Amino acid sequence: MQTDDDARARLIVALDVPKVEEARALIGRIGDEAAFYKIGLELVMAGGLDLARELAAAGRSVFLDMKFLDIGNTVERAVASAAELGVACLTIHGHDAKSLKAAVTGRGNSPMKLLAVTVLTSLTAEDLAEQGIAAGTTPADLVLKRAHMAEAAGFDGVIASGQEAACIRAAVGPDFLIVTPGIRLAGASLGDQERVMTPDHALAAGADYIVVGRPIAQADDPAVAARTFVRYIEAGLSERQSKTRSKD
């Protein structure tokens, strides 16, 4: 049985707010109900890197969601700089092997985890076709291809929808991390997300962590909302353990 601390550690709260002061206020309202926070491009552009250093120094886990995509030399140096912040993990777009390999080189001996963004959870098959991806390619097809490419490059895991978690887990085994955004409770507004899943189903399907933004940040009581997601995580982990035992 998973403990409450085990489940809480798997909840990543997205600080998708425009100002550092708002992020600090949200963290204060959540309190001890979460200890892992995502800082993305919006907040980075408003001083979020200093907040990342601050949180890491205070013992909080930080997911720096930069989605780097550039020539190898630039990616390598950017990753090396990010590694000095003390963050737990960093995202790179999983589009090409050269960038992925450059990121691994840039990380060096840092313990920072590298996660490849496979296909954004806001995209559909129609969106992929508009990008010039081969006709008939589904998001799941492309996610799996990019997961294999990231694993071969030496990455620690991927960012992927819960809808693809099971096929990734079956393909790459138990040690490759799957971090899942696009998480919504049943009946909740989808916002700009397309390929969504409930937190318990995502964990049961093989996800290791879930990323939750607006459902917590915009809640009347973010601490209560975070606690609710932790309970769903516990349920999903229990279901996954039951499935594993039934196979043994």
Side-chain angles (χ1 to χ4, degrees):
M1 183 70 178
Q2 295 291 325
T3 67
D4 190 62
D5 286 343
D6 292 331
R8 186 182 295 114
R10 295 172 183 264
L11 172 64
I12 303 174
V13 177
L15 299 175
D16 293 336
V17 293
K19 297 181 180 179
V20 169
E21 294 76 14
E22 292 181 45
R24 287 200 179 99
L26 177 58
I27 292 168
R29 294 183 70 192
I30 293 172
D32 293 333
E33 300 300 332
F36 205 157
Y37 290 95
K38 179 180 85 72
I39 294 178
L41 294 174
E42 179 182 18
L43 195 56
V44 163
M45 297 305 295
L49 292 183
D50 287 336
L51 179 61
R53 291 187 187 93
E54 177 186 316
L55 291 174
R60 302 289 183 97
S61 295
V62 178
F63 166 19
L64 191 59
D65 189 20
M66 296 299 293
K67 300 185 181 74
F68 290 143
L69 177 62
D70 212 311
I71 63 171
N73 186 58
T74 299
V75 169
E76 179 180 336
R77 294 188 181 197
V79 170
S81 294
E84 296 177 358
L85 298 173
V87 298
C89 51
L90 172 72
T91 54
I92 312 293
H93 262 302
H95 285 51
D96 71 278
K98 290 181 180 179
S99 292
L100 297 176
K101 292 174 182 176
V104 172
T105 301
R107 172 177 59 180
N109 295 322
S110 167
M112 179 180 70
K113 305 292 187 184
L114 292 175
L115 304 171
V117 178
T118 53
V119 176
L120 297 176
T121 51
S122 59
L123 299 181
T124 64
E126 289 74 19
D127 296 317
L128 297 184
E130 286 183 356
Q131 293 177 12
I133 304 297
T137 300
T138 68
D141 295 333
L142 193 53
V143 164
L144 196 55
K145 178 178 180 179
R146 289 176 174 171
H148 280 302
M149 192 161 60
E151 183 186 33
F155 266 54
D156 301 285
V158 291
I159 308 296
S161 161
Q163 294 183 16
E164 292 99 40
C167 67
I168 295 172
R169 181 61 65 216
V172 300
D175 298 325
F176 198 63
L177 297 176
I178 301 173
V179 179
T180 298
I183 294 295
R184 294 290 187 270
L185 298 180
S189 171
L190 301 186
D192 55 2
Q193 299 291 341
E194 291 286 349
R195 300 181 349 269
V196 302
M197 185 171 276
T198 60
D200 50 331
H201 288 162
L203 269 294
D208 296 293
Y209 297 88
I210 60 169
V211 182
V212 184
R214 283 164 286 189
I216 291 177
Q218 296 178 3
D220 292 336
D221 189 331
V224 171
R227 195 177 310 131
T228 298
F229 278 94
V230 169
R231 296 291 176 260
Y232 275 94
I233 292 171
E234 290 175 335
L237 291 173
S238 295
E239 182 180 344
R240 190 160 86 191
Q241 287 180 339
S242 296
K243 291 179 179 177
T244 300
R245 284 194 295 267
S246 67
K247 293 178 181 179
D248 293 340

